[in-house]
Amino acid sequence: MLVERSKYNPILKPNPNQSWEADAVFNGCPIQAGSRIYLLYRAVSLPHYHSRALTRLKVSDIGIASSADGVNFSHRQKLIVPDQTWDRFGCEDPRITRLNNKYYIFYTALSEHPFRAEGIKVGVAVSQDLKTIQAKHLVTPFNAKAMALFPAKIGGKML
């Protein structure tokens, strides 16, 4: 497979009409489901007051958009939001794998502000339909920023 940079770059821009993704959108992770291509991405909000911080913060959610051609995306919405103690300051940088008819979305979870290594961990969200999240789990109790799941066993093991 040959991958080339799109001449339509960027294919997704911040949406000033939705505060949760008005500052920035980036680090997209595509996956094909049926005839559609879905793009999971980091969406950065406008600064707002956070219940656990003493200042206004920009917070990251993970958004999802769909496309028929992989270039023109629509139906943008939040998919993963910071609602656990271990991701309360942001959900960033999704990496998605489909396995056994479920989608496993690993992401960087931020639990502390000011940000520091001890508060940066990996979470996983599980979805059956890319519309709702059925479960979220903390994967690493230690500092970590990236993780992915291969879509098949390697040497008889899940890696």
Side-chain angles (χ1 to χ4, degrees):
M1 174 168 74
L2 179 64
V3 178
E4 295 181 25
R5 181 180 294 271
S6 172
K7 65 181 179 182
Y8 303 105
N9 235 7
I11 58 173
L12 207 61
K13 295 179 183 176
N15 182 348
N17 297 318
Q18 299 193 105
S19 65
W20 66 274
E21 63 174 354
D23 188 66
V25 294
F26 52 100
N27 292 354
C29 183
I31 192 162
Q32 187 165 353
S35 63
R36 305 289 297 173
I37 297 170
Y38 293 88
L39 185 69
L40 282 73
Y41 58 95
R42 179 178 171 188
V44 182
S45 73
L46 294 175
H48 64 277
Y49 286 102
H50 191 285
S51 63
R52 306 244 187 226
L54 300 175
T55 185
R56 291 168 49 97
L57 298 176
K58 295 179 183 181
V59 177
S60 295
D61 293 308
I62 294 174
I64 187 167
S66 66
S67 172
D69 61 9
V71 174
N72 299 294
F73 285 88
S74 61
H75 302 41
R76 291 162 64 157
Q77 60 188 20
K78 289 183 191 182
L79 183 63
I80 302 172
V81 298
D83 60 3
Q84 303 294 315
T85 57
W86 43 267
D87 69 5
R88 66 182 165 208
F89 288 106
C91 302
E92 302 179 347
D93 310 336
R95 293 155 301 278
I96 186 169
T97 301
R98 185 168 187 243
L99 182 66
N100 298 330
N101 296 316
K102 289 185 182 178
Y103 297 94
Y104 295 88
I105 307 156
F106 290 89
Y107 64 95
T108 302
L110 304 176
S111 66
E112 297 183 22
H113 187 270
F115 303 120
R116 58 181 184 250
E118 298 81 21
I120 302 171
K121 299 179 172 106
V122 173
V124 64
V126 182
S127 177
Q128 292 181 323
D129 56 11
L130 294 178
K131 295 177 184 169
T132 58
I133 299 299
Q134 280 73 48
K136 284 173 60 175
H137 304 281
L138 180 63
V139 177
T140 61
F142 49 82
N143 172 253
K145 217 170 149 45
M147 186 174 287
L149 179 67
F150 287 103
K153 289 184 178 181
I154 298 175
K157 297 180 180 179
M158 294 304 301
L159 302 175

